Structures are given as C-alpha cells and as structure tokens.
Amino acid sequence: MTELFLSPIAPSLDEWMQEAKASPEAARCGMFLFHNGVVRETAKAQVRQSIASDAVTGMEFSYDREKVEAALLDAANLPGIYYIRVWLAEGHLSVGDDIMLVLIGGDIRPRVIDALQSLVGEIKNHCVVEQELY
C-alpha cells in the first residue's frame, strides 16, 4: 500500500499502525518505522550551521502534491518496501505542530531505515516549501 493521506487534521499514529498491521502487506513486513516532523523554535540555520537566530514562532508550509506522489512511488519501488503512508500539513503552523507523518513498512531493518531516510529527504528537499516565521 502506498498512500498520500489527505486531511487537514493529523491522523492518529496508533490508528495508522493498527491499519498497517491489518493490511494485506503486513505479512511481508518485519518492521514499521515512523517519522513525525514537528515545528521547532530553533531555526534550521542555527541547528545546521551554528548561526545565531531569533526563536521561530511558526512556519508557513506547503507542498507539491504531484512531486510527493512521485516520491512515494519511487520509495514503493525500493527493495523490500511494502507499505508507505504519508500525511503533510498545510498553511500556518505553530511551534509544536506536526509538519509531516511518514510510516514505512518493509521486510528488514536496513531497508526500512534507508527507505524512510530517502523518502523523508526527498520530500523535505524537493516537494515542500517551509518558511520559518520569527
């Protein structure tokens, strides 16, 4: 299963996990991993480049649906990956709000970890626009 979950409200991770384990793909999955991106008050430049910055008070967030769907299909074609579900926020977000949720299931740990890192990286680097607000 590969799905971009479209909803203005973040879904329940517990419900997603229950649905994943009940899916036809579950029998081939030995591991599921979540990514839960959250708006933080420390600016990205400060974290990555040690540049002093004012505290982030929020974020404007948007995404290109077609690019996200293409990234999902690419990830679904990785060896041993059988289950992918993604939710992305939109609009104005405050510190502590969820930005994105990604659930990946696959056969073995190294493949699932690599797929999660690859998919989240692709989404963050090529599919979304994040504007930190101060």
Side-chain angles (χ1 to χ4, degrees):
M1 176 182 153
T2 302
E3 177 187 29
L4 174 58
F5 186 79
L6 300 173
S7 170
I9 300 169
S12 161
L13 298 180
D14 289 334
E15 287 178 19
W16 268 21
M17 201 61 236
Q18 289 174 359
E19 291 168 4
K21 287 182 175 182
S23 73
E25 297 85 359
R28 297 190 293 175
C29 293
M31 180 179 205
F32 289 95
L33 274 180
F34 274 110
H35 167 79
N36 184 187
V38 179
V39 179
R40 65 180 176 275
E41 71 175 12
T42 309
K44 190 181 295 187
Q46 185 174 348
V47 172
R48 294 194 175 149
Q49 302 162 358
S50 298
I51 296 172
S53 175
D54 293 335
V56 171
T57 59
M59 172 186 290
E60 290 295 328
F61 186 86
S62 62
Y63 64 92
D64 182 315
R65 182 175 173 178
E66 289 180 8
K67 288 181 180 180
V68 173
E69 289 174 343
L72 290 174
L73 290 176
D74 287 345
N77 287 319
L78 293 171
I81 301 305
Y82 303 111
Y83 193 93
I84 302 174
R85 204 160 189 196
V86 173
W87 171 86
L88 299 165
E90 283 190 284
H92 180 79
L93 305 175
S94 298
V95 171
D97 286 349
D98 293 322
I99 298 171
M100 76 169 64
L101 303 173
V102 178
L103 172 61
I104 293 190
D107 56 4
I108 59 174
R109 179 181 41 84
R111 289 179 173 177
V112 178
I113 290 170
D114 290 349
L116 181 69
Q117 185 169 357
S118 175
L119 178 55
V120 171
E122 180 66 20
I123 291 170
K124 295 283 286 179
N125 294 325
H126 299 107
C127 303
V128 303
V129 176
E130 299 174 313
Q131 180 183 358
E132 294 176 329
L133 305 173
Y134 304 91

